[in-house]
Amino acid sequence: MDYTELQVTSNFSFLRGASHPEELVEQAAALGYGSMAITDHNTLAGIVRAHSAAKKHGLRIIPAARLNLVDGPPLLAYPTDRDAYARLSALLTEGNRRTEKGKCELYKADVYRYAEGMIFISLPPVDLDDEFDFGEDFRRELLEYKKAFGRQLYVAASWLYRGSDAKRLYRIGELEADFGIPMVATNDVHFHSPERRQLQDIVTCVREKKTIYNAGYLLYGNAERYLKPAGEMERLFGKYPQAIENTRRIAEACRFNLDSLKYVYPREIMPDGRTPLEELTRLAWQGAYDFFGDPLPEKVSSAIEHELKFIAEMDYAPYFLTVYDIVREARSRGILCQGRGSAANSTICFCLGITAVNPTKFDLLFERFISSARNEPPDIDVDFEHERREEIIQYIYEKYGRDRAGIVATVTQLRQKGAVRDVAKAMGMSVDAINRLSSSIWEFTDEWFEGDRISEHGFNPKDPHLVKVLELTRQFMGFPRQLGQHTGGFVITDGKLTDLCPVINARMEDRTNIEWNKDDIDALGFLKIDVLALGMLTCIRKAFDLARAHHGLELTLATVPQDDPEVYDMISAADTIGVFQIESRAQQSMLPRLRPRNFYDLVIEVAIVRPGPIQGDMVHPYLRRRNGEEEVEYPSPELEAILGKTLGVPLFQEQAMKIAIVAAGFTPAEADELRRSMATFKAKGLVSRFERKLIDGMVSRGYKKEFAERVFRQLEGFGSYGFPESHAASFALLVYVSCWLKHRYPDVFAAALLNSQPMGFYAPAQIVL
């Protein structure tokens, strides 16, 4: 195949493209393409998603961007190697940083400075004059580009059935002859199939604040901007075979692949004369002896040796040292913090002071079940006092520099209400009708549409106009709308951050983001450290200060007396106003039924009163089994090993992943996809993709179909909220500490809580009572 599509706009060119990167990749693979470029407008935000999807289909994605310049015609830029990609990223960063979030201000002079190693395609004006000739302004700009880029410059030609395509191509051919700038064929793709043309019109209306009735020539005149078969493109450019051949030449010249991006850990964390592993080993054993004394308990020493061996095999030592450095800085400033995550509740993290969950009191598998199968760092989130977290954020910026540290982006996606409002407005519905339609939606499902709900709000479900609005809303839901700022996920690099990804300004002062979200950096194996805020840590730290001043107590999260039966009595009586996590009405109604008596009971309490376990019908089976009302059964010994601690009921994300691997034959990578689909606040419906594979896999391994379907329903509940056991353990510690303070020193706890407002469910007057 000679043709490669080199101009593709995805929906990460916000309100311009009408297809997801994954959809474009799937269509390209179905058409037999070997490679394809993604050229979103002044951004690389969607490139990782396209790259990840392409790897599954054996397709090669050419990372590129469309540069919309303030003082010149737009250019398509294609880096040919790793260094050129870094220059493109730096160029986009410069354009982003000089203006407000959501905009990129680029000039020709900027492009000239960063042009080395890149191929450019100049985009002629969309409209020609009556004589089908290009104006002198464009010809002059093209000559300037020719002088700057030399043989690395091409000019784009597209056949889009606008009635003048033959004459347009002829004029572009004249430019090729006059200036020596080769013509290259593109289709200016904005959607993967012609059926998306209507949604393309909608996004244009939303962008231009028009309706389909008055948008006029702002809309494309036809549906030709779809990803065409290569044979069709070769037919359209039959008179200009060199335009097709040039797409192949450009594709072959651009050999850079995102897999060649290598994340390098910061070196500041490595003291002179010691390797990262040697330094981590020294700190771990030193912390262990400081807390446990000499000799160490056998369980502790064995755990440290096991974890250090695993860390050495996976080369995670710099990651742990980076987290340790941030925690150490917080402690030096008197800021209370607590780590949580898949590796945070480990013996080494306890010895380093990253977490206060005593490993001798709680047994958590150190390595996440699939970590050894996937080359990614373990997950450690660190919560800091909410009033002082900004100090730590600015410490990271100051230590590593804004050119080496940035906060991960979040991709704001359109949900049901936002999508239906945008589509209905673009389709010309009245404000009153839009408000009623939006307020009627609580779950965008077939049952909602086919039932009586829509009729109850005065709509005719058979009205063709309304049917089209809802059809387009289905397509629009899940589209990215903007790049937001993650709550605190940092990427820190040894070299320039722009060598990996463009940087953008955040809305908040003194904050900068990268363009990729946490799933993107996970796919590429980048380090991320979550620097998060938690109001209860502020309260506990103030309570510790008051306890020291008024009662002479020196308390830390790790030294608060454990297993106090009177504290568990208070918890079981639901006397939990103001404490962490278990103070809500729903939690208070659960506490007398669960009656926690030990730390792991608190772990379950934290996790069980969540939408996931409730919707998955996990709560009542667990309570019946715990109270002896129902026999605890395990369909197989392998599931007993997974579900033993939760009486045969899956309550945690980790258990769901293990069931998928052990009982249904999922690969570790597929189980990780399942985990991602269960993550908090993800769009509903993603877990359902795994239904057939899970049920068929379990049945083929001897499990009854009814049991497999029940397991899936339970796991599907995690689509709303699946809570990880490792996070629940860290939260459970804060639950216990806040309850201990409330029971033993109610004056201290109440004063600290009042001084940490606003937080929690209760007003100050209720706390005082």
Side-chain angles (χ1 to χ4, degrees), residues 520-541:
D520 296 333
I521 64 171
D522 280 351
L524 298 176
F526 293 2
L527 175 153
K528 176 176 72 74
I529 298 173
D530 283 313
V531 179
L532 306 175
L534 196 61
M536 182 50 66
L537 285 173
T538 303
C539 173
I540 292 175
R541 196 266 303 163

Side-chain angles (χ1 to χ4, degrees), residues 217-261:
Y217 290 111
L218 292 171
L219 306 179
Y220 293 134
N222 53 43
E224 291 299 321
R225 284 178 169 81
Y226 70 97
L227 193 61
K228 291 184 171 71
E232 174 65 4
M233 292 297 295
E234 291 168 0
R235 183 188 70 80
L236 291 173
F237 285 84
K239 292 184 178 180
Y240 305 94
Q242 77 277 13
I244 297 294
E245 173 65 15
N246 285 334
T247 68
R248 182 185 61 80
R249 290 178 179 172
I250 293 173
E252 290 180 350
C254 299
R255 303 311 303 175
F256 169 72
N257 187 294
L258 288 181
D259 285 334
S260 66
L261 292 179

Side-chain angles (χ1 to χ4, degrees), residues 133-163:
D133 198 359
F134 295 104
E136 287 301 319
D137 288 344
F138 177 71
R139 297 171 72 89
R140 184 174 60 253
E141 298 283 5
L142 198 59
L143 280 174
E144 183 179 336
Y145 285 163
K146 173 67 175 178
K147 182 178 179 181
F149 306 135
R151 299 179 64 183
Q152 297 298 92
L153 177 66
Y154 294 77
V155 62
S158 302
W159 188 291
L160 298 172
Y161 289 94
R162 290 172 297 190

Side-chain angles (χ1 to χ4, degrees), residues 298-319:
E298 175 62 26
K299 182 178 181 179
V300 173
S301 58
S302 297
I304 292 176
E305 290 172 357
H306 167 71
E307 292 172 15
L308 285 173
K309 180 181 178 181
F310 183 83
I311 289 171
E313 291 174 356
M314 303 302 294
D315 194 25
Y316 288 162
Y319 178 83

Side-chain angles (χ1 to χ4, degrees), residues 291 356-358 361 556-565 567-568 599 602 732-733 736-737 740:
F291 188 85
V357 177
N358 190 329
K361 305 289 292 184
T556 68
L557 292 176
T559 60
V560 168
Q562 300 290 305
D563 302 323
D564 188 330
V567 172
Y568 286 108
F599 183 76
L602 291 181
L733 177 65
Y736 178 83
V737 170
W740 185 87

Side-chain angles (χ1 to χ4, degrees), residues 117-292:
M118 280 189 262
I119 294 174
F120 295 93
I121 298 178
S122 177
L123 301 179
V126 174
D127 298 316
L128 301 176
D129 59 27
D130 292 338
E131 298 180 355
F132 301 103
D133 198 359
F134 295 104
E136 287 301 319
D137 288 344
F138 177 71
R139 297 171 72 89
R140 184 174 60 253
E141 298 283 5
L142 198 59
L143 280 174
E144 183 179 336
Y145 285 163
K146 173 67 175 178
K147 182 178 179 181
F149 306 135
R151 299 179 64 183
Q152 297 298 92
L153 177 66
Y154 294 77
V155 62
S158 302
W159 188 291
L160 298 172
Y161 289 94
R162 290 172 297 190
S164 59
D165 296 280
K167 294 179 180 180
R168 181 181 176 84
L169 263 62
Y170 177 79
R171 295 304 183 192
I172 293 175
E174 286 187 329
L175 291 177
E176 181 176 18
D178 292 345
F179 300 148
I181 303 173
M183 176 197 304
V184 61
T186 79
N187 199 50
D188 193 15
V189 172
H190 279 66
F191 36 91
H192 69 288
S193 69
E195 291 75 19
R196 279 292 172 86
R197 182 266 174 95
Q198 293 180 344
L199 185 61
Q200 177 69 47
D201 290 347
I202 293 298
V203 300
T204 301
C205 289
V206 174
R207 183 183 76 242
E208 301 293 340
K209 297 180 173 58
K210 302 285 186 180
T211 72
I212 57 171
Y213 302 106
N214 61 21
Y217 290 111
L218 292 171
L219 306 179
Y220 293 134
N222 53 43
E224 291 299 321
R225 284 178 169 81
Y226 70 97
L227 193 61
K228 291 184 171 71
E232 174 65 4
M233 292 297 295
E234 291 168 0
R235 183 188 70 80
L236 291 173
F237 285 84
K239 292 184 178 180
Y240 305 94
Q242 77 277 13
I244 297 294
E245 173 65 15
N246 285 334
T247 68
R248 182 185 61 80
R249 290 178 179 172
I250 293 173
E252 290 180 350
C254 299
R255 303 311 303 175
F256 169 72
N257 187 294
L258 288 181
D259 285 334
S260 66
L261 292 179
K262 300 302 180 185
Y263 176 85
V264 179
Y265 291 90
R267 300 188 185 187
E268 285 88 338
I269 56 174
M270 306 172 194
D272 295 336
R274 282 191 291 271
T275 66
L277 184 62
E278 289 171 343
E279 176 67 3
L280 181 65
T281 301
R282 182 186 70 83
L283 291 171
W285 288 112
Q286 177 181 307
Y289 285 116
D290 288 344
F291 188 85
F292 296 104

